[in-house]
Amino acid sequence: LKALREERRLSLREAAGRAGIAPSFLSKLEAGKASPTIQSLVKVLEALDVDVVTFFGDLSGGGELPVVFPRAGMRALEGKDRTFWYAFPAHRDARLTLTYEEYEPRSKVREEEQHATDLCGYVIGGELSLEIPGRGSWKAKAGDAFYLRAHQPHVASNEGPKKLKLVVVQMR
């Protein structure tokens, strides 16, 4: 993270401000003395103009973009109460990020987030609680879809008794 920040000629304060986190927390992340939540990592990477797939992968592409992506090859990002599987590799020709996400019942993590591009999703199971500060709160049940505009602050959580399972698509 520090190398990415310095490559972009951002001070610790500037990068932390863009990510909406405390400079002291970013310093600890860079030094390996703190572990971020999934949302915190996404915030920092987006502040550095890097998506998660690129951060954990190799954009060399290695030839033509595959047609099928076996689950065994998907990268998992695990956080407290939730896991995201990134379906597509970091390939120069992949223009979308597709994640399969699971939130444990009554997940404790409630963190405001926003994304650099529009995203949409489909709830496979459970119930997604979605809050947009200043606009309201919604519940999306199995079979429902949702759409969030770029830079729209929101909080996504699972307040229900069942595991929440959803698929999310975002432009890269």
Side-chain angles (χ1 to χ4, degrees):
L1 290 176
K2 184 175 183 179
L4 286 171
R5 177 178 59 77
E6 289 175 344
E7 185 178 294
R8 283 150 180 78
R9 293 182 165 83
L10 292 172
S11 71
L12 193 68
R13 265 190 208 293
E14 288 172 312
R18 287 184 182 188
I21 62 172
S24 59
F25 181 58
L26 180 55
S27 178
K28 288 178 183 176
L29 291 176
E30 290 181 351
K33 294 181 179 177
S35 296
T37 63
I38 294 171
Q39 289 79 11
S40 294
L41 178 60
V42 169
K43 286 179 185 180
V44 170
L45 292 174
E46 286 183 349
L48 299 173
D49 294 321
V50 176
D51 64 52
V52 174
V53 175
T54 303
F55 181 70
F56 286 110
D58 172 14
L59 274 181
S60 62
E64 196 172 338
L65 185 65
V67 175
V68 175
F69 302 87
R71 180 152 182 167
M74 294 179 191
R75 294 187 181 273
L77 186 57
E78 296 182 49
K80 184 177 180 185
D81 295 342
R82 42 181 95 169
T83 303
F84 295 4
W85 284 270
Y86 287 83
F88 303 149
H91 191 285
R92 68 177 175 269
D93 294 334
R95 295 189 181 127
L96 299 172
T97 299
L98 173 69
T99 56
Y100 168 70
E101 305 177 8
E102 290 184 354
Y103 292 53
E104 292 300 320
R106 296 182 176 86
S107 56
K108 306 278 188 259
V109 178
R110 290 187 43 85
E111 201 172 333
E112 188 173 293
E113 57 186 304
Q114 55 183 308
H115 306 280
T117 63
D118 289 9
L119 67 79
C120 61
Y122 180 85
V123 178
I124 298 168
E127 183 177 88
L128 171 67
S129 296
L130 197 57
E131 178 186 338
I132 298 177
R135 264 189 80 191
S137 299
W138 297 265
K139 303 283 187 191
K141 297 179 181 177
D144 291 343
F146 60 92
Y147 189 97
L148 294 166
R149 302 287 299 172
H151 307 292
Q152 176 68 67
H154 62 279
V155 176
S157 63
N158 179 11
E159 298 169 355
K162 296 180 182 175
K163 183 177 280 193
L164 170 62
K165 300 176 181 181
L166 62 147
V167 173
V168 176
V169 177
Q170 183 176 5
M171 296 296 294
R172 290 184 68 204

